[in-house]
Amino acid sequence: MGGRGWRRTLGLALGALLLAAAFPLLAARPLLLRFSHVVAPDTPKGRMARHFQELVAQRSGGRIRVEVYPDSQLYGDEDEIEALRLGAVEMLAPSLSKFGSFGVTEFEVFDLPFLFDDLEQVRRVTQGPVGQRLLERLARQQMVGLGYMDNGFKQISAGRALLQPADFQGLRLRVQASRVLVAQMRALGAQAVVLPFGETRQALAGAVVDGAENTLSNFLTQGLAPLQSDLTLTRHGYLGYAVVGNPRFWASLSDADRQLLRQALAEALEFGNRLAAELDRQALERLRRTAGLRIHELTPPQRAALRTAAEPVYAGFERSVARGWLDEVRRAMQPTD
Ligand code: LMR
């Protein structure tokens, strides 16, 4: 081998050594993950995000830092999905109602009024193959679907009790940006006003809207109780979340880091799900003690009358979403044994 040959071999060997030395450093590089959401820290989603942050800090020895931005501090629900796609944040947990307007209309099934009787039915859908397929569908909209979490069932607040369809007449009620939720309020006799979550309080305070639908923990922690005289426990619809990530960020992770984050998230989501029912119960207790707020329960016939009034929403949904989709979800809701 001539002088040039030796120099080349030496150069290659040195290069290989440098690469070997650099790889563990690359795999162990510090990482920042910004997790933005729109609700208060002391809600099921807020507590889940903080739990995820703690688990990731512990397991990565502080190398992977999760920064949590609650309360629409960084982005509201009108711009957070765009921020995620652009890489301005790495993770979000929007409500399922928000994905329909981003082109994944199958998610609108979760908004159908009176579809789910309990969280077990929802989980059979979200935790099974149907839920998995929906998460995968988010890839077409430049999001990585990472998992689901419950908040609970929505109730409706206003300046009067809402015990029958006639009580909804003339009311302007805030809803999320979902065609199904707009149709639902119309079917009940009210006018739906689509507003970002973070603007709901102000809209109620300024009488831009007369009422809103939400879970008890959101109602309480957004400070809506002092602005409304009546809260009717309608349990008419489900509110849950899909955690999504920025695809370029997920693809840039080492396998070990991706696994660490997925495992921490799975545990945080379980923690959030366990907490959701408890925070719902605690919120109801606190709201029952709130002076000036009347809480109304529906009798079974009153609830049945609201359900009947909301039925036309189903026909509209079936016309606008892939045929057979609702039947498939209904089958997935059933226990398998
Ligand atoms: C809403 O806009 O009412 C909810 O999606 C807020 C949330 O994220 O729980």
Side-chain angles (χ1 to χ4, degrees), residues 38-39 45 77 95 98 174 176 197 214 218 239 241:
V38 299
V39 293
K45 181 162 62 179
D77 48 25
S95 78
K98 291 176 183 152
R174 181 266 168 178
Q176 306 177 72
F197 182 65
N214 225 307
N218 277 343
L239 178 71
Y241 309 108

Side-chain angles (χ1 to χ4, degrees), residues 37-39 43 45 77 80 93-98 151 154 174-177 181 195-198 200 213-215 217-218 222 239-241:
H37 67 80
V38 299
V39 293
T43 52
K45 181 162 62 179
D77 48 25
E80 65 177 7
S95 78
L96 302 180
S97 319
K98 291 176 183 152
N151 183 319
K154 293 177 288 183
R174 181 266 168 178
V175 293
Q176 306 177 72
L181 296 179
L195 281 176
F197 182 65
T200 308
E213 59 164 16
N214 225 307
T215 58
S217 60
N218 277 343
Q222 287 301 301
L239 178 71
Y241 309 108

Side-chain angles (χ1 to χ4, degrees), residues 36-79:
S36 169
H37 67 80
V38 299
V39 293
D42 203 15
T43 52
K45 181 162 62 179
R47 300 263 295 265
M48 176 279 284
R50 284 215 312 271
H51 193 61
F52 174 66
Q53 177 184 48
E54 286 159 14
L55 289 177
V56 172
Q58 271 165 25
R59 291 176 190 176
S60 70
R63 183 175 56 81
I64 309 181
R65 198 154 52 90
V66 176
E67 283 178 358
V68 180
Y69 296 93
D71 263 330
S72 311
Q73 258 170 31
L74 209 51
Y75 295 102
D77 48 25
E78 70 287 16
D79 53 8

Side-chain angles (χ1 to χ4, degrees), residues 113-135:
F114 302 100
L115 176 63
F116 299 106
D117 291 328
D118 53 46
L119 292 177
E120 273 64 48
Q121 291 182 343
V122 179
R123 286 188 189 145
R124 282 184 210 115
V125 181
T126 54
Q127 307 305 319
V130 169
Q132 186 53 36
R133 232 174 49 230
L134 266 187
L135 284 184

Side-chain angles (χ1 to χ4, degrees), residues 300-318:
Q302 284 169 337
R303 195 158 185 276
L306 292 186
R307 181 191 276 259
T308 304
E311 252 160 34
V313 179
Y314 282 71
F317 174 80
E318 293 213 86

Side-chain angles (χ1 to χ4, degrees), residues 137-151:
R137 218 154 272 180
L138 290 170
R140 289 190 211 151
Q141 301 299 329
Q142 303 141 59
M143 292 177 249
V144 183
L146 297 167
Y148 292 97
M149 199 191 110
D150 298 320
N151 183 319

Side-chain angles (χ1 to χ4, degrees), residues 3-304:
R4 271 179 62 190
W6 274 112
R7 272 202 297 281
R8 198 165 159 265
T9 313
L10 198 67
L12 281 176
L14 262 174
L17 265 177
L18 278 174
L19 261 181
F23 251 108
L25 284 179
L26 264 183
R29 73 191 198 277
L31 278 177
L32 171 65
L33 194 160
R34 291 158 297 184
F35 190 158
S36 169
H37 67 80
V38 299
V39 293
D42 203 15
T43 52
K45 181 162 62 179
R47 300 263 295 265
M48 176 279 284
R50 284 215 312 271
H51 193 61
F52 174 66
Q53 177 184 48
E54 286 159 14
L55 289 177
V56 172
Q58 271 165 25
R59 291 176 190 176
S60 70
R63 183 175 56 81
I64 309 181
R65 198 154 52 90
V66 176
E67 283 178 358
V68 180
Y69 296 93
D71 263 330
S72 311
Q73 258 170 31
L74 209 51
Y75 295 102
D77 48 25
E78 70 287 16
D79 53 8
E80 65 177 7
I81 292 188
E82 208 40 45
L84 180 87
R85 287 155 144 183
L86 292 170
V89 291
E90 284 71 34
M91 261 169 95
L92 303 172
S95 78
L96 302 180
S97 319
K98 291 176 183 152
F99 293 104
S101 57
F102 283 88
V104 198
T105 50
E106 290 90 337
F107 275 97
E108 291 175 346
V109 75
F110 294 102
D111 288 337
L112 284 170
F114 302 100
L115 176 63
F116 299 106
D117 291 328
D118 53 46
L119 292 177
E120 273 64 48
Q121 291 182 343
V122 179
R123 286 188 189 145
R124 282 184 210 115
V125 181
T126 54
Q127 307 305 319
V130 169
Q132 186 53 36
R133 232 174 49 230
L134 266 187
L135 284 184
E136 284 160 17
R137 218 154 272 180
L138 290 170
R140 289 190 211 151
Q141 301 299 329
Q142 303 141 59
M143 292 177 249
V144 183
L146 297 167
Y148 292 97
M149 199 191 110
D150 298 320
N151 183 319
F153 284 92
K154 293 177 288 183
Q155 326 289 354
I156 311 182
S157 67
R160 58 179 182 245
L162 302 170
L163 306 178
Q164 52 188 339
D167 298 329
F168 286 76
Q169 287 297 324
L171 290 180
R172 288 158 306 165
L173 301 177
R174 181 266 168 178
V175 293
Q176 306 177 72
S178 150
R179 295 183 299 184
V180 171
L181 296 179
V182 170
Q184 163 204 276
M185 289 310 186
R186 195 177 306 133
L188 289 171
Q191 182 193 333
V193 180
V194 172
L195 281 176
F197 182 65
E199 290 173 25
T200 308
R201 185 172 199 289
Q202 215 181 341
L204 279 171
V208 173
V209 293
D210 306 302
E213 59 164 16
N214 225 307
T215 58
L216 295 175
S217 60
N218 277 343
F219 183 74
L220 179 74
T221 55
Q222 287 301 301
L224 305 190
L227 301 171
Q228 301 264 260
S229 55
D230 296 82
L231 176 65
T232 308
L233 302 180
T234 48
R235 272 180 70 85
H236 63 284
Y238 169 76
L239 178 71
Y241 309 108
V243 179
V244 289
N246 171 286
R248 286 182 304 282
F249 174 77
W250 281 89
S252 75
L253 295 170
S254 68
D255 287 346
D257 283 352
R258 202 176 301 116
Q259 181 51 28
L260 185 155
L261 290 175
R262 276 198 181 273
Q263 182 58 34
L265 183 65
E267 289 172 38
L269 292 175
E270 251 184 68
F271 168 85
N273 277 339
R274 280 198 304 273
L275 203 69
E278 177 55 20
L279 290 187
D280 193 64
R281 201 189 53 72
Q282 284 178 15
L284 184 56
E285 240 171 55
R286 284 186 55 188
L287 291 166
R288 282 195 196 283
R289 292 199 306 265
T290 302
L293 180 70
R294 291 182 292 262
I295 296 190
H296 311 278
E297 315 263 354
L298 295 176
T299 62
Q302 284 169 337
R303 195 158 185 276

